[in-house]
Amino acid sequence: RVCRIITVSEYRTQLQLHRFILRNRVRAIVGTLLAVGRHQLTPQQFAEIIASKDRCKAGDSAPARGLFLEQVEYPDELFETHI
Protein backbone atom coordinates (compact mmCIF):
# COMPACT_ATOMS: atom_id res chain seq x y z
CA ARG A 1 0.00 0.00 0.00
CA VAL A 2 1.38 3.34 -1.02
CA CYS A 3 0.24 6.86 -0.34
CA ARG A 4 2.24 9.63 -1.96
CA ILE A 5 1.44 13.30 -1.72
CA ILE A 6 2.49 15.38 -4.67
CA THR A 7 2.01 19.13 -4.34
CA VAL A 8 0.96 20.39 -7.73
CA SER A 9 0.47 24.05 -6.84
CA GLU A 10 -0.37 26.28 -3.92
CA TYR A 11 -4.06 25.47 -4.37
CA ARG A 12 -3.93 21.87 -5.58
CA THR A 13 -2.48 18.78 -3.96
CA GLN A 14 -2.43 15.43 -5.71
CA LEU A 15 -2.66 12.22 -3.70
CA GLN A 16 -1.33 9.07 -5.30
CA LEU A 17 -2.99 6.12 -3.61
CA HIS A 18 -2.42 2.45 -4.36
CA ARG A 19 -4.97 -0.08 -3.06
CA PHE A 20 -5.66 2.35 -0.29
CA ILE A 21 -9.02 3.96 -0.84
CA LEU A 22 -11.88 3.02 1.44
CA ARG A 23 -15.06 4.92 2.14
CA ASN A 24 -14.23 8.41 3.50
CA ARG A 25 -10.48 7.68 3.62
CA VAL A 26 -9.63 10.49 1.18
CA ARG A 27 -11.72 12.94 3.20
CA ALA A 28 -9.81 11.93 6.35
CA ILE A 29 -6.47 12.35 4.58
CA VAL A 30 -7.44 15.78 3.23
CA GLY A 31 -8.72 16.86 6.65
CA THR A 32 -5.42 15.83 8.19
CA LEU A 33 -3.51 17.65 5.44
CA LEU A 34 -5.51 20.77 6.30
CA ALA A 35 -4.25 20.43 9.89
CA VAL A 36 -0.70 20.39 8.49
CA GLY A 37 -1.44 23.50 6.45
CA ARG A 38 -2.80 25.22 9.55
CA HIS A 39 0.40 24.29 11.46
CA GLN A 40 -1.56 22.08 13.87
CA LEU A 41 0.51 19.07 12.72
CA THR A 42 3.95 18.81 11.16
CA PRO A 43 4.54 16.97 7.88
CA GLN A 44 6.44 14.36 9.94
CA GLN A 45 3.41 13.85 12.20
CA PHE A 46 1.24 13.45 9.09
CA ALA A 47 3.58 10.75 7.75
CA GLU A 48 3.47 8.97 11.11
CA ILE A 49 -0.34 9.06 11.14
CA ILE A 50 -0.49 7.54 7.65
CA ALA A 51 2.08 4.88 8.58
CA SER A 52 0.17 3.98 11.77
CA LYS A 53 -2.99 3.18 9.77
CA ASP A 54 -4.96 4.38 12.80
CA ARG A 55 -7.92 6.53 11.79
CA CYS A 56 -8.29 7.78 15.37
CA LYS A 57 -4.97 9.64 15.04
CA ALA A 58 -6.07 11.48 11.90
CA GLY A 59 -7.75 14.87 11.84
CA ASP A 60 -11.38 15.63 11.12
CA SER A 61 -12.70 14.57 7.73
CA ALA A 62 -12.85 17.33 5.14
CA PRO A 63 -16.28 18.08 3.70
CA ALA A 64 -16.91 16.33 0.39
CA ARG A 65 -17.54 19.57 -1.48
CA GLY A 66 -14.55 20.46 -3.61
CA LEU A 67 -13.10 16.94 -3.61
CA PHE A 68 -13.36 14.92 -6.79
CA LEU A 69 -11.85 11.87 -8.44
CA GLU A 70 -9.78 12.99 -11.38
CA GLN A 71 -8.19 9.82 -12.70
CA VAL A 72 -8.01 6.09 -12.08
CA GLU A 73 -5.11 4.00 -13.35
CA TYR A 74 -4.78 0.24 -13.11
CA PRO A 75 -1.54 -1.72 -13.44
CA ASP A 76 -1.15 -3.48 -16.81
CA GLU A 77 -0.69 -6.88 -15.16
CA LEU A 78 -4.26 -6.66 -13.85
CA PHE A 79 -5.49 -7.20 -17.42
CA GLU A 80 -3.11 -9.98 -18.44
CA THR A 81 -4.90 -13.10 -19.57
CA HIS A 82 -3.75 -16.35 -17.99
CA ILE A 83 -4.98 -19.26 -20.05
Side-chain angles (χ1 to χ4, degrees):
R1 294 179 184 200
V2 175
C3 173
R4 278 185 238 166
I5 300 160
I6 305 161
T7 301
V8 178
S9 71
E10 181 180 355
Y11 302 103
R12 182 175 172 219
T13 298
Q14 178 181 342
L15 299 177
Q16 187 177 47
L17 308 169
H18 295 262
R19 298 180 188 193
F20 192 75
I21 298 178
L22 296 175
R23 182 172 165 77
N24 294 324
R25 176 92 34 110
V26 171
R27 290 179 56 203
I29 292 170
V30 171
T32 307
L33 281 171
L34 289 172
V36 173
R38 293 177 180 140
H39 303 288
Q40 297 166 339
L41 291 172
T42 66
Q44 179 62 35
Q45 288 171 311
F46 175 80
E48 291 168 3
I49 289 168
I50 294 296
S52 76
K53 301 177 185 176
D54 184 351
R55 173 62 181 97
C56 295
K57 293 180 180 179
D60 295 332
S61 290
R65 102 187 137 255
L67 299 177
F68 63 94
L69 178 63
E70 182 176 293
Q71 182 177 355
V72 175
E73 294 180 10
Y74 295 100
D76 292 336
E77 60 269 12
L78 185 67
F79 301 102
E80 291 177 359
T81 306
H82 300 283
I83 298 177

